[in-house]
Amino acid sequence: MKKPSWIDEFKAFIARGNVLDMAVGVVIGGAFTAIVTSIVENLLTPIIGLLMGNTDFSGLVVAGFGIGNVINAIITFFITAFAVFWIVKAVNKAQELGKKEEEAAPEEPAGPTPEELLTEIRDLLKAQQDK
């Protein structure tokens, strides 16, 4: 039997559902990143600027190192993390409410278990043999 080539392995890899799910996640993640970036740059950073004064540290250079850019990146990270935290918290709350509604729906009665069915068949067969 011939060993599959790397092209065959790659085709099998691409055809798997997980790869498609991951691709969708990346695309949705990119769109979500744009939303979070817009919230941070256009809403949160100006509000912080109003409260604290100028929040742009990019001009801060110490011994040739752009320390100000690092400070800006750290501040942006924390603002972004805070925004994502609240968005995820809201999504989790919405999912929780959805689960409660599903739980409130009446559950269909469960049918007999396989063991119960087998026991019933055994008893019927035994009853037929006894006749």
Side-chain angles (χ1 to χ4, degrees):
M1 187 171 153
K2 181 182 171 187
K3 183 179 175 185
S5 69
W6 67 269
I7 294 174
D8 295 331
E9 291 177 24
F10 182 71
K11 285 179 186 177
F13 172 75
I14 290 298
R16 290 178 28 197
N18 293 346
V19 174
L20 296 176
D21 292 342
M22 186 176 67
V24 169
V26 168
V27 171
I28 296 298
F32 185 71
T33 299
I35 292 170
V36 171
T37 301
S38 180
I39 290 170
V40 169
E41 290 177 357
N42 299 313
L43 295 176
L44 298 177
T45 301
I47 291 171
I48 292 172
L50 287 173
L51 297 174
M52 295 177 52
N54 188 8
T55 58
D56 185 13
F57 297 100
S58 61
L60 181 61
V61 177
V62 176
F65 294 102
I67 301 296
N69 288 329
V70 174
I71 293 171
N72 279 345
I74 292 170
I75 291 170
T76 301
F77 169 78
F78 281 113
I79 293 171
T80 303
F82 188 73
V84 170
F85 168 77
W86 284 105
I87 291 170
V88 169
K89 189 172 173 81
V91 169
N92 288 341
K93 184 70 170 177
Q95 287 177 343
E96 209 174 280
L97 291 174
K99 285 181 183 176
K100 285 182 182 176
E101 289 176 4
E102 287 177 9
E103 290 173 359
E107 207 173 286
E108 292 184 25
T113 65
E115 291 81 12
E116 292 171 337
L117 290 173
L118 288 172
T119 303
E120 188 176 328
I121 292 170
R122 181 198 64 201
D123 294 344
L124 288 172
L125 288 172
K126 191 174 185 180
Q128 284 179 350
Q129 286 178 351
D130 291 342
K131 285 183 181 182

